[in-house]
Amino acid sequence: MKKTTFLLLAALFVYSSNAIAQKINYGAKAGLNVSNLYGNNQDKNSLVTFHAGFFTQIEISEKLNIQPELLYSRQGADLNSLYKAKLDYISIPIQFKYNVLPKFFLQAGPQVSFLVSDKAVFYDDNIGTLDTDAKSVDFGFNTGFGLNLGAGIFTEARYNFGITTVAENPDIKNGVLQISLGYIF
């Protein structure tokens, strides 16, 4: 009975996916991160880093797409000019893209990120590099806009608002501005 129910649900899912999704595209993107850590009164400066990865664009209607992504993203901040907190994540944003005009779109959606590496790189060479106390999973919400430049090329800008705390002491959250250039295959 369980196998029959599973097969029936799987067939229904495949059929409904094909009925809903009219077109599926794949692509790659990369760009600049301007990141910071928010939530306490420490003096922090933004850290300029990068992100890169792949995405799938699923057309729901002429105006609406869903775009799940898989990105490598370096984030963090320069804290008190004492050290740089470098937090490397594998991020999975799911963007809902609304085409306002043929070349202009708005986007918003949730993001979950998994910590790959966390380092505090001190300016004092005697201290060196230490691990931070960053949590292994980070949740955020993205919002932004973009332009389709033609021939499959696009550019976009989005901001990731951290929802969960990166670390408890001090109680801080990620904030990341991403500017990307991408190509749809």
Side-chain angles (χ1 to χ4, degrees):
M1 181 68 176
K2 287 183 182 180
K3 284 184 182 180
T4 305
T5 304
F6 175 75
L7 289 173
L8 183 60
L9 288 174
L12 183 61
F13 175 75
V14 169
Y15 173 75
S16 64
S17 296
N18 289 335
I20 293 173
Q22 298 174 7
K23 188 175 176 184
I24 297 176
N25 293 310
Y26 302 95
K29 63 187 268 188
L32 180 75
N33 280 357
V34 180
S35 66
N36 214 326
L37 298 170
Y38 298 99
N40 65 2
N41 294 328
Q42 282 187 315
D43 184 26
K44 297 178 287 297
N45 294 314
S46 295
L47 193 63
V48 178
T49 61
F50 69 95
H51 66 275
F54 302 96
F55 63 87
T56 301
Q57 193 174 74
I58 304 164
E59 183 180 286
I60 302 302
S61 70
E62 187 177 318
K63 295 237 178 220
L64 182 64
N65 295 312
I66 296 175
Q67 183 170 301
E69 301 176 359
L70 181 64
L71 302 175
Y72 181 87
S73 180
R74 174 162 287 169
Q75 299 169 194
D78 184 341
L79 295 142
N80 296 327
S81 296
L82 296 173
Y83 67 94
K84 289 182 182 178
K86 294 183 178 180
L87 308 171
D88 293 354
Y89 291 98
I90 298 294
S91 298
I92 304 171
I94 299 177
Q95 296 300 112
F96 294 89
K97 293 176 67 174
Y98 183 74
N99 297 310
V100 178
L101 299 169
K103 294 191 179 268
F104 179 74
F105 60 86
L106 299 174
Q107 59 179 283
Q111 174 174 302
V112 61
S113 299
F114 301 96
L115 188 67
V116 176
S117 172
D118 61 325
K119 290 184 173 53
V121 180
F122 287 85
Y123 290 111
D124 183 349
D125 291 335
N126 295 327
I127 299 174
T129 302
L130 302 172
D131 286 342
T132 68
D133 289 331
K135 292 182 179 178
S136 60
V137 179
D138 184 52
F139 292 97
F141 187 81
N142 296 318
T143 184
F145 63 92
L147 292 171
N148 293 314
L149 303 175
I153 299 171
F154 67 90
T155 185
E156 64 185 16
R158 76 168 66 142
Y159 191 81
N160 175 283
F161 298 91
I163 296 172
T164 56
T165 57
V166 174
E168 295 298 327
N169 190 13
D171 192 16
I172 53 177
K173 297 178 181 180
N174 277 310
V176 185
L177 171 65
Q178 292 184 327
I179 301 170
S180 306
L181 185 64
Y183 180 73
I184 299 172
F185 303 119

